[in-house]
């Protein structure tokens, strides 16, 4: 009952802020007008099962993300599918304007899994609501009000569960760290903030939205065409509190 009340509270605030979001939800999944409430209850987020109050931990964070976001990236796929679709909406003068709809993406080789069940090397893409906070790339660029790191030859990302730098960007080479300089898939990437703050060893690392031109699944990231990713990055604005939602749909 507590979960239903808290979820109803969140849905009420969400609907008052983004009235067009339900139309979008119906369009992609044929859900009823309770689609987002259903999404919150069954999606498997840790806070759903923890009975948190509206001002505690992950529930508070999710509520803030959804009610404050004026830019939403939505990645959806059916259970077990490795191919999904990407939607990108921007709030302008109270209207949700589509920038992209139904853009094909490649997901992990084992499909989407609830974020709290994600484990290192399992081939799953984690579902959750993520704040878009960081972008990395090799080109010199500025992104409005979002942290941008220009990738250099010394940049690596640790995916070793035994490293103190697990799931962190580092400026040196170490055992289990992946170079961000040697692969074209790291030319430009949006960090999916899964298991980053803090990083729990073994719970998954290096989850990005990155360029992908192959007709096959990723190792757990979301792969999209470089042209689409370039446009997404050019539209991002930290003052709009952009969010990324990755979710399974029926």
């Amino acid at each position: 009952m507590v979960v239903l009340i808290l979820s109803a509270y969140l849905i009420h605030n969400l609907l008052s802020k983004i009235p067009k979001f339900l139309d979008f939800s119906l369009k992609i999944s044929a859900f009823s007008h309770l689609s987002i409430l259903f999404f919150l209850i069954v999606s498997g987020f840790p806070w759903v099962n923890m009975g948190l109050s509206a001002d505690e931990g992950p529930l508070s964070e999710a509520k803030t993300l959804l009610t404050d976001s004026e830019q939403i990236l939505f990645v959806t796929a059916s259970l077990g599918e490795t191919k999904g679709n990407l939607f990108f909406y921007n709030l302008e003068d109270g209207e949700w304007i589509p920038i992209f709809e139904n853009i094909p993406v490649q997901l992990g080789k084992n499909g989407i899994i609830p974020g709290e069940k994600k484990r290192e090397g399992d081939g799953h893409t984690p579902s959750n609501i993520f704040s878009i906070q960081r972008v990395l790339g090799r080109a010199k660029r500025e992104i409005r009000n979002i942290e941008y790191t220009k990738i250099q030859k010394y940049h690596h990302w640790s995916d070793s569960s035994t490293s103190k730098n697990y799931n962190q960007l580092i400026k040196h080479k170490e055992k289990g760290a992946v170079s961000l300089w040697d692969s074209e898939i790291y030319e430009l990437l949006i960090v999916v903030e899964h298991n980053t703050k803090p990083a729990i060893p073994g719970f998954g690392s290096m989850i990005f939205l990155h360029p992908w031109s192959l007709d096959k699944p990723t190792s757990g990231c979301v792969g999209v065409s470089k042209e689409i990713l370039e446009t997404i990055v050019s539209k991002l604005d930290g003052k709009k509190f952009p969010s990324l939602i990755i979710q399974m749909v029926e």
Side-chain angles (χ1 to χ4, degrees):
M1 185 63 181
V2 172
V3 170
L4 287 173
I5 293 172
L6 294 177
S7 299
Y9 172 82
L10 178 53
I11 195 71
H12 172 77
N13 283 275
L14 178 60
L15 293 181
S16 64
K17 181 73 178 292
I18 49 176
K20 295 295 182 181
F21 192 75
L22 277 180
D23 295 337
F24 157 54
S25 186
L26 285 166
K27 190 185 318 180
I28 63 170
S29 61
F31 282 170
S32 71
H33 275 53
L34 293 177
S35 57
I36 303 177
L37 176 58
F38 177 80
F39 158 71
L40 292 171
I41 295 174
V42 305
S43 58
F45 293 169
W47 53 265
V48 170
N49 298 314
M50 290 168 61
L52 294 174
S53 77
D55 296 317
E56 286 185 79
L59 175 55
S60 178
E61 293 174 13
K63 181 186 71 174
T64 299
L65 284 179
L66 288 179
T67 57
D68 288 351
S69 287
E70 296 182 4
Q71 290 182 324
I72 293 181
L73 271 170
F74 209 133
V75 174
T76 66
S78 298
L79 179 64
E81 290 294 324
T82 60
K83 294 184 178 182
N85 292 285
L86 178 146
F87 303 77
F88 186 21
Y89 285 77
N90 186 61
L91 187 65
E92 298 178 14
D93 299 321
E95 292 279 335
W96 281 96
I97 307 300
I99 298 174
F100 290 122
E101 294 181 301
N102 288 308
I103 298 298
V105 295
Q106 294 282 352
L107 304 170
K109 61 185 178 181
N110 290 315
I112 295 176
I113 195 172
E116 75 274 13
K117 295 182 179 180
K118 169 70 182 172
R119 296 296 181 269
E120 187 67 43
D122 64 6
H124 286 291
T125 298
S127 68
N128 215 322
I129 305 170
F130 305 97
S131 172
I132 297 177
Q133 302 174 9
R134 295 181 285 171
V135 177
L136 288 75
R138 293 186 195 159
K140 183 178 180 180
R141 72 181 78 216
E142 290 186 6
I143 304 173
R144 287 168 292 184
N145 309 299
I146 288 181
E147 178 184 331
Y148 179 71
T149 299
K150 187 177 183 298
I151 295 173
Q152 307 288 344
K153 290 184 178 181
Y154 52 75
H155 279 123
H156 291 70
W157 200 288
S158 175
D159 66 350
S160 171
S161 297
T162 60
S163 171
K164 66 179 182 180
N165 299 313
Y166 178 63
N167 203 22
Q168 295 180 39
L169 174 67
I170 54 177
K171 295 182 178 180
H172 61 273
K173 184 178 181 180
E174 67 175 30
K175 185 177 180 180
V178 177
S179 171
L180 299 183
W181 186 260
D182 296 335
S183 174
E184 62 182 15
I185 69 173
Y186 301 132
E187 286 186 20
L188 179 64
L189 56 90
I190 296 173
V191 178
V192 178
E193 301 290 348
H194 167 77
N195 192 37
T196 56
K197 298 174 182 178
I200 301 173
F203 277 58
S205 63
M206 294 190 68
I207 307 299
F208 306 128
L209 179 59
H210 64 59
W212 194 253
S213 59
L214 303 176
D215 187 23
K216 67 176 185 179
T218 70
S219 297
C221 295
V222 178
V224 68
S225 76
K226 187 172 184 291
E227 293 74 19
I228 294 294
L229 185 56
E230 287 276 6
T231 301
I232 291 172
V233 168
S234 72
K235 299 286 186 181
L236 289 176
D237 184 349
K239 287 187 177 180
K240 287 180 172 284
F241 304 102
S243 296
L244 167 63
I245 301 174
I246 301 177
Q247 177 61 16
M248 290 177 287
V249 295
E250 296 297 329

